[in-house]
Amino acid sequence: MTFAVKEISPAGAAEITGFDCRVPTGAADLARLKQAFLDWPILCIRDQRLTPKQQATFARQWGALERQDRSTYCHPDDPDVLILSNERRADGSQVGIVDAGDFWHSDSSHIGEPCRMTMLYSVKNPDKGGDTHFINMYQVLDALPDALKQRVAGRNAIHHVAKTLNPRVTISAEREGAADYYKSREKATKPVSQPIVRTHPETGRQALYISPRFTIAIEDMDDREAQPLLDDLFRHMFSNPAWQYTHKWRDGDLVFWDNACLNHMAGGGYEYPDTRRMHRTTIVGDRPFYRAA
Ligand code: OGA
Ligand code: MN
């Protein structure tokens, strides 16, 4: 295939045109795409028309797909495809997850082996809103003041899925049962320790690996010290718009991103019956680690 790769943001995004995900990717093309993914951790392949099965087949060329535990929102045509949507059926029930990604995070950092990459395919965009925001955490770490770097050196942070344990987030009223769900996770889910500075498994570059959504504490540090430190780190993370990229979706975009060096967030700003529908596949990842440069 003769496809083009073009940078669309210095925060690490590129778009790919002239590519057809329905055709098995040849070895040379896959190698080129994989290199592009290391150079730009946010890639957008434009103008696709993918069934859930075709999306999953494309995604499996990048690694094993994660099994989705929220089976009610899996696509009936392929259980590895999760539906994110604000659509409702005639009986009022929800078709997909409505509040996915509503705070800044890196996907599944609250589990021991978070997913390596996430692929989101845009089936239907709302007339307004529905953007996805990204922050390049390599750039955030590179610019971290030395004093803060020293305070986090060699440390791990605690990540947890329960929103009820995290004062930096709130629970969306739009999702039925969300408050009970998170309450039930408080004790049923073990907290996970992750390096605050994460070494990328392929590029070897270091990135800051914490998020307002999942990071709730710092290991072996009293909260009186840890919470203000986290606040300082998050303030720094948001301090330069040049580290951010906002994706304005077109129907048929397939966007995939690297969870080892990015935070992202759903921007919201749309309301039913203006619908947004995404199909999501995630690639299995390894245990995050830190290795001195
Ligand atoms: C996700 C996610 C954001 C969005 O799928 O992991 O955070 O804009 N999605 O849908
Ligand atoms: Mn996400």
Side-chain angles (χ1 to χ4, degrees), residues 173-247:
E174 269 187 89
R175 188 168 118 207
E176 290 149 21
D180 291 343
Y181 169 75
Y182 287 123
K183 192 80 199 152
S184 78
R185 294 335 294 168
E186 282 184 9
K187 293 210 169 58
T189 307
K190 281 203 175 66
V192 165
S193 170
Q194 302 286 15
I196 293 182
V197 175
R198 178 176 182 180
T199 304
H200 192 284
E202 287 173 73
T203 65
R205 284 182 69 188
Q206 321 281 13
L208 192 68
Y209 190 60
I210 55 169
S211 73
R213 168 65 185 89
F214 291 126
T215 308
I216 59 166
I218 295 178
E219 197 170 75
D220 301 325
M221 189 186 280
D222 192 282
D223 257 351
R224 280 170 299 186
E225 184 183 353
Q227 294 307 328
L229 176 52
L230 286 172
D231 287 338
D232 285 347
L233 294 167
F234 294 138
R235 204 170 303 120
H236 168 74
M237 180 175 103
F238 294 121
S239 67
N240 190 344
W243 306 329
Q244 293 195 26
Y245 167 66
T246 293
H247 190 69

Side-chain angles (χ1 to χ4, degrees), residues 64-66 105-118 159 192-195 198 201 209 214 257-262 264 280 282-289:
L65 295 194
E66 286 189 324
H105 65 286
S106 172
D107 285 331
S108 59
S109 71
H110 55 90
I111 64 172
E113 298 185 346
C115 63
R116 174 80 182 81
M117 60 196 284
T118 305
H159 294 232
V192 165
S193 170
Q194 302 286 15
R198 178 176 182 180
Y209 190 60
F214 291 126
W257 65 80
D258 189 333
N259 287 300
C261 57
L262 298 169
H264 64 279
R280 181 181 194 265
T282 46
I283 315 290
V284 168
D286 302 321
R287 186 94 188 90
F289 60 88

Side-chain angles (χ1 to χ4, degrees), residues 114-155:
C115 63
R116 174 80 182 81
M117 60 196 284
T118 305
M119 290 189 175
L120 214 52
Y121 172 62
S122 165
V123 180
K124 158 84 179 66
N125 285 293
D127 292 337
K128 86 178 195 310
D131 300 346
T132 306
H133 306 292
F134 295 89
I135 297 189
N136 186 313
M137 300 299 281
Y138 288 140
Q139 295 173 352
V140 168
L141 184 74
D142 286 346
L144 193 66
D146 278 340
L148 281 175
K149 263 191 193 148
Q150 280 160 19
R151 290 183 68 197
V152 299
R155 290 210 175 253

Side-chain angles (χ1 to χ4, degrees), residues 72-73 87-89 91-96 98 174-176:
T72 31
Y73 300 126
E87 294 160 289
R88 287 176 177 276
R89 298 188 188 84
D91 67 0
S93 62
Q94 288 169 336
V95 171
V98 293
E174 269 187 89
R175 188 168 118 207
E176 290 149 21

